[in-house]
Amino acid sequence: MISSGQADDILKIQGGKTLSGQVTISGAKNSALALMAGTLLCSETCQLQNVPSLVDIRLMVQILSALGVKVTTNQDVVQFDASHLTSTEAPYEMVSKMRGSFFILGPLLTRMGEARVPMPGGCSIGTRPVDLHVRGLQALGAEVNIEHGVVHARAKNGKRLVGAQIYLDSPSVGATENIMMAATLAEGETIIDNAAQEPEIVDLAGLCNAMGAKIEGAGTSRIVIQGVEKLHEADYRVIPDRIETASFILAGAITRSSIIVDAINISHIKPILAKLKEIGIGYELESPTALRVIPAASYRGTDVETLPHPGFPTDVQSPFMSLLALADGNSVVTETLFENRFMHVAELTRMGADIKVKGNVAMIKGVSSLSGAPVIATDLRASAALVIAGLAADGETIVSGLHHMDRGYDRLEEKMRGLGADLIRLPGV
Ligand code: UD1
């Protein structure tokens, strides 16, 4: 089920084609990664459905396998048997490649009483510290040392963590997930205040509760967890990927194409739909889980500020900027979450966009057209931004750095081609 792209593949896009038809959205990468880590909590076999086919998921399978989890894959259905864990130490060469791998710290620690996880890697969109994860686990009674780039956490109290009241300085998604998982098997009650409210948090709580955990309030800023001793088997479906959903809606909008984006959850993309409406992009529901994009001849510029959910998601900032580059008038995009998330700007500028960056603010003057050019994808979401820009640009765009795209998008070029886009993956030189 899992395809892997070569690091030096390139994508050749012939812009200007109108798209048509329907695309099916895959399961959410970020949710699936957290849920996969969550299966470490379970002493029986867990099954996840709707697992997307992409490189980060394959990496997580490798990490879990290295800990002794038996993983069986059948298309988008993956079984995890974590009944006999054989190691509490995650291999550096795998963890260093992906931020999401740090999610294993909490569940491994609470289940085994100990965990050693190297500091995570992933996209270079900012410094991305892990202090909130560490402080949360310390509050639950863990001793945490960071030495030689490895986080070593141990339960002080024999093998069981102890529930606590935790206030997160900022609503970190990963810290909320790590602490929530650790608290499911802790003794007593844990309260997480100022918790992240992303749909992925709700999904993870859904899996944990399906396994017998007692979590309330996921999706609000206060999550209350009553620790239980053991979790049991579960069969659970991953939510649709809201970032992939947004990327395809934007692909339809930028090419003025009335495509249908199917297998989605509308309530997860409200902040994105609100902004699209503001700039002149409509939609209608073909069914409760399918949306038809209603494009317009031209779009208005607008201001966007990325915020924790339910604000506008930082992961959609770069693809949305591709559209704003072609809107009428001026737009201002403020990135409040990651300090280095404007690396796509230089590439969009190569394509003729008029964008200036000052600190965490990008000022965009809409232009009437973009022109195809060779561009480099510098991070995961930048890759989607460049593909979307390439679809609308005059002539040929060549996107390199495709290993970023392959980390997080399930068969993007195949799905785009299914909609009639003219693009092809070629081995790089
Ligand atoms: C997750 C997503 C990522 C998304 C982000 C925000 C995964 C695998 N990745 O990343 O796609 O862009 O949420 O929606 O799910 N921070 C700290 N200390 C910490 C943790 C975070 O200062 O201990 C800061 C970060 O540097 C950042 C902000 O908090 O500025 C938000 O980060 P966080 O919500 O933790 O993002 P991730 O979980 O890393």
Side-chain angles (χ1 to χ4, degrees):
M1 68 141 204
I2 292 156
S3 65
S4 115
Q6 296 302 306
D8 56 356
D9 279 357
I10 60 164
L11 202 59
K12 210 182 209 186
I13 307 168
Q14 199 62 44
K17 296 272 180 302
T18 303
L19 309 183
S20 61
Q22 181 163 329
V23 62
T24 301
I25 297 305
S26 301
K29 170 192 83 99
N30 286 351
S31 221
L33 289 173
L35 266 50
M36 288 167 79
T39 67
L40 283 169
L41 293 165
C42 185
S43 341
E44 297 175 6
T45 300
C46 283
Q47 177 164 289
L48 295 181
Q49 299 182 36
N50 203 28
V51 177
S53 169
L54 40 88
V55 169
D56 274 10
I57 295 292
R58 186 175 64 172
L59 248 182
M60 195 59 147
V61 166
Q62 286 173 4
I63 292 168
L64 294 178
S65 302
L67 299 172
V69 181
K70 294 195 182 73
V71 184
T72 319
T73 293
N74 181 6
Q75 310 230 10
D76 68 348
V77 180
V78 188
Q79 285 186 343
F80 303 87
D81 174 1
S83 53
H84 298 290
L85 297 181
T86 51
S87 171
T88 53
E89 193 164 348
Y92 169 78
E93 58 284 6
M94 297 172 196
V95 173
S96 59
K97 290 184 188 147
M98 174 174 74
R99 174 83 179 175
S101 56
F102 204 64
F103 300 158
I104 64 174
L105 181 66
L108 201 55
L109 166 68
T110 199
R111 170 99 187 271
M112 304 297 281
E114 182 173 32
R116 279 177 203 267
V117 181
M119 298 286 280
C123 282
S124 38
I125 54 178
T127 47
R128 306 184 86 171
V130 292
D131 55 318
L132 299 173
H133 302 242
V134 168
R135 289 216 298 274
L137 297 178
Q138 282 170 330
L140 293 174
E143 276 173 355
V144 183
N145 296 308
I146 304 178
E147 272 177 3
H148 310 295
V150 177
V151 180
H152 182 194
R154 242 183 328 221
K156 265 190 239 164
N157 176 27
K159 278 203 161 189
R160 198 140 183 225
L161 298 175
V162 182
Q165 294 221 9
I166 296 166
Y167 183 89
L168 292 179
D169 287 351
S170 66
S172 154
V173 175
T176 303
E177 290 170 339
N178 240 332
I179 297 165
M180 190 167 82
M181 287 189 275
T184 56
L185 295 180
E187 201 179 323
E189 181 178 88
T190 298
I191 298 177
I192 311 174
D193 276 314
N194 200 25
Q197 302 176 40
E198 269 68 3
E200 292 76 20
I201 306 285
V202 180
D203 209 24
L204 179 59
L207 169 69
C208 291
N209 285 342
M211 298 191 297
K214 292 186 176 151
I215 304 175
E216 283 179 5
T220 74
S221 64
R222 168 171 276 209
I223 302 178
V224 181
I225 305 135
Q226 306 293 342
V228 297
E229 281 191 18
K230 221 172 167 210
L231 297 181
H232 55 70
E233 63 179 13
D235 185 355
Y236 193 82
R237 188 172 175 83
V238 179
I239 54 170
D241 196 310
R242 63 197 169 102
I243 311 302
E244 188 195 12
T245 303
S247 303
F248 277 98
I249 293 174
L250 289 167
I254 205 167
T255 55
R256 313 284 191 263
S257 307
S258 180
I259 58 168
I260 297 172
V261 186
D262 191 18
I264 67 174
N265 186 321
I266 298 283
S267 67
H268 294 169
I269 57 167
K270 275 187 187 160
I272 302 158
L273 292 177
K275 272 295 154 196
L276 291 173
K277 189 174 165 202
E278 217 173 278
I279 69 172
I281 298 161
Y283 70 92
E284 60 189 32
L285 293 185
E286 295 279 316
S287 79
T289 56
L291 170 154
R292 177 186 287 279
V293 180
I294 317 270
S298 64
Y299 302 125
R300 296 177 289 278
T302 192
D303 296 347
V304 182
E305 183 171 326
T306 63
L307 287 169
H309 193 80
F312 191 89
T314 172
D315 287 353
V316 183
Q317 178 258 108
S318 40
F320 198 71
M321 197 185 287
S322 299
L323 187 60
L324 293 179
L326 285 169
D328 292 340
N330 298 336
S331 302
V332 177
V333 173
T334 309
E335 172 57 61
T336 71
L337 287 147
F338 295 110
E339 68 273 18
N340 200 14
R341 210 165 206 184
F342 280 150
M343 289 185 292
H344 50 285
V345 168
E347 304 304 306
L348 289 177
T349 305
R350 287 171 62 77
M351 298 176 74
D354 184 347
I355 309 174
K356 291 201 171 50
V357 173
K358 210 167 185 191
N360 68 335
V361 178
M363 284 152 289
I364 303 149
K365 277 190 194 156
V367 294
S368 56
S369 64
L370 295 175
S371 60
V375 286
I376 302 172
T378 46
D379 65 69
L380 171 52
R381 304 305 171 188
S383 67
L386 297 176
V387 172
I388 287 166
L391 293 177
D394 297 334
E396 188 177 272
T397 295
I398 295 176
V399 184
S400 56
L402 277 204
H403 59 288
H404 289 294
M405 185 179 96
D406 294 329
R407 280 192 41 215
Y409 287 92
D410 182 355
R411 296 167 289 125
L412 185 79
E413 73 271 22
E414 190 186 313
K415 291 187 184 186
M416 288 287 183
R417 255 202 313 278
L419 292 170
D422 184 350
L423 43 74
I424 185 166
R425 176 190 287 263
L426 296 168
V429 281

